[in-house]
Amino acid sequence: MTSDRKQKAGAALPHRSVLLDSAVEFLINDPDGAYVDATFGRGGHSRLILRGLGEGGQLLGIDKDPEAIGVARQLADDDGRFSWFHGSFADLESALSGRGWPQVNGVLMDLGVSSPQLDDAARGFSFMRDGPLDMRMNPQQSPSAAEWLAQADEKDIANVIWRYGEERFSRRIARFIVSRRQEEAIETTRQLAELVAEAVPKKDKHKHPATRTFQAIRIFINRELEDLEVGLQAAVDRLAPGGRLVVISFHSLEDRVVKRFMRDLARGPQLPRGIPVTADQEASGFRLIGKAAKAGADEVRDNVRARSAVMRVLERVDSESKSKGSA
């Protein structure tokens, strides 16, 4: 890579991506391969990936957020080594087809809401900052959190808060929301946070009472778990032999999806006992790389968001590795 490229790829960022070095280290298996940063964010992982690629390497950055795509445009190389796609990682199949990439050597997913999104009160993700109750990763899509809460059925609201937030007072919170919206529109993060705090009768000592509710509504509005399931499958379908899928999760719901998906692929088909199994049937075509990894104490100290991060890695086993394993 030329010095200009290194300078551009290594440009300083206002925040550091979680598990940055280890994620990229696991991801790159061929410096001249094709890779996807499926959650570009502000480009922290992409910049380090580009620094690790050779002259023939290529990287595609994907993100729902128009602001993230604005950063990706600035990172784009004149020679096409880096390109971007505005959309969800659930659109990975069409994004790769549009670029004529039949296979990729690695896909990285850094899930959930990004630090810049949380820190911007205007985006409405955080109950810590008063702003419009939006929560959309792509503001061009509808509905916003405020729009949905204004018209959703009480039962549907309760189900979302329970399913995606695992909030035991979900029904009570939903009842308060429906009652309050008859008096005034719930349009700001402060309104919702104060309402939830009022609705929750028992408070956790070290957690804001609105934490689970905000998480649940955000996941629902952005279809995060549905997109995750589609994106995971699209990623492994396009992995070249030896290619890796690296996923960083930040809460138990999404990590549960990732863990089960990777585990089931690595284990292969589970046939009933007593049925004869051949060597070909036993081979799953995938393997787990190491155990679930978490951020170290130093990273957690520097970035509190890293404390809940869990990284999992899955590799498509190439034919040579299979033959060696069965020899």
Side-chain angles (χ1 to χ4, degrees):
M1 185 183 293
T2 65
S3 59
D4 289 342
R5 286 176 181 165
K6 286 182 179 179
Q7 184 176 10
K8 191 172 186 180
L13 287 173
H15 74 285
R16 183 173 176 83
S17 299
V18 175
L19 291 165
L20 176 63
D21 297 311
S22 55
V24 174
E25 182 178 349
F26 275 112
L27 181 73
I28 298 178
N29 58 79
D30 178 1
D32 291 319
Y35 296 88
V36 179
D37 182 353
T39 46
F40 178 82
R42 294 302 181 267
H45 286 113
S46 283
R47 285 181 170 85
L48 191 57
I49 293 169
L50 285 170
R51 292 178 65 183
L53 295 184
E55 292 293 326
Q58 290 185 300
L59 174 64
L60 170 65
I62 298 176
D63 209 289
K64 294 180 179 180
D65 192 338
E67 293 184 12
I69 294 302
V71 177
R73 287 194 182 99
Q74 299 173 13
L75 187 61
D77 289 316
D78 294 335
D79 59 5
R81 295 176 67 255
F82 176 79
S83 57
W84 52 267
F85 177 86
H86 184 201
S88 166
F89 47 63
D91 304 317
L92 180 62
E93 179 71 28
S94 60
L96 295 181
S97 296
R99 279 152 183 76
W101 292 8
Q103 291 184 318
V104 294
N105 298 88
V107 177
L108 171 64
M109 295 181 178
D110 183 7
L111 304 177
V113 64
S114 69
S115 295
Q117 289 170 332
L118 282 172
D119 294 340
D120 185 354
R123 302 300 299 271
F125 285 104
S126 175
F127 50 79
M128 301 297 291
R129 296 170 175 82
D130 190 27
L133 189 59
D134 195 314
M135 295 195 191
R136 291 173 293 179
M137 293 180 180
N138 183 356
Q140 298 170 2
Q141 296 179 338
S142 293
S144 68
E147 290 168 342
W148 179 70
L149 286 177
Q151 53 80 36
D153 181 78
E154 179 180 327
K155 183 178 180 181
D156 290 339
I157 295 173
N159 287 340
V160 164
I161 296 174
W162 169 251
R163 180 181 179 186
Y164 298 121
E166 299 179 318
E167 171 58 70
R168 57 177 173 156
F169 299 111
S170 59
R171 292 181 181 178
R172 183 178 172 87
I173 294 170
R175 187 163 63 249
F176 269 60
I177 289 173
V178 171
S179 175
R180 184 66 54 83
R181 76 186 185 190
Q182 295 174 356
E183 303 170 4
E184 61 176 349
I186 304 171
E187 297 179 333
T188 70
T189 55
R190 177 176 295 174
Q191 282 179 291
L192 181 59
E194 292 178 349
L195 184 155
V196 174
E198 181 183 347
V200 174
K202 296 181 180 180
K203 312 294 193 294
D204 293 337
K205 290 184 178 180
H206 306 293
K207 182 177 291 187
H208 191 286
T211 300
R212 296 187 181 92
T213 297
F214 268 68
Q215 171 187 295
I217 295 173
R218 187 206 83 215
I219 290 174
F220 172 77
I221 290 295
N222 294 287
R223 293 180 49 85
E224 291 180 38
L225 295 188
E226 292 88 346
D227 280 8
L228 176 58
E229 292 177 353
V230 175
L232 289 171
Q233 188 61 56
V236 298
D237 286 345
R238 290 287 190 145
L239 277 184
R244 291 180 173 179
L245 170 63
V246 180
V247 184
I248 302 171
S249 307
F250 288 89
H251 60 74
S252 59
L253 289 177
E254 60 191 14
D255 183 55
R256 198 176 304 150
V257 173
V258 175
K259 179 180 179 180
R260 290 175 178 173
F261 179 82
M262 291 187 173
R263 178 200 63 195
D264 290 348
L265 277 180
R267 289 168 60 183
Q270 299 300 296
L271 302 177
R273 293 181 179 180
I275 295 180
V277 179
T278 66
D280 288 341
Q281 289 172 318
E282 288 180 338
S284 70
F286 295 91
R287 66 176 178 178
L288 299 174
I289 301 297
K291 297 181 179 180
K294 296 187 177 183
D298 290 343
E299 183 172 3
V300 173
R301 185 180 60 250
D302 295 338
N303 182 359
V304 67
R305 183 172 177 253
R307 67 185 176 187
S308 59
V310 179
M311 181 176 68
R312 299 182 186 275
V313 184
L314 181 75
E315 180 182 271
R316 180 182 286 277
V317 182
D318 59 35
S319 56
E320 184 176 341
S321 297
K322 282 184 182 181
S323 62
K324 288 180 180 178
S326 60

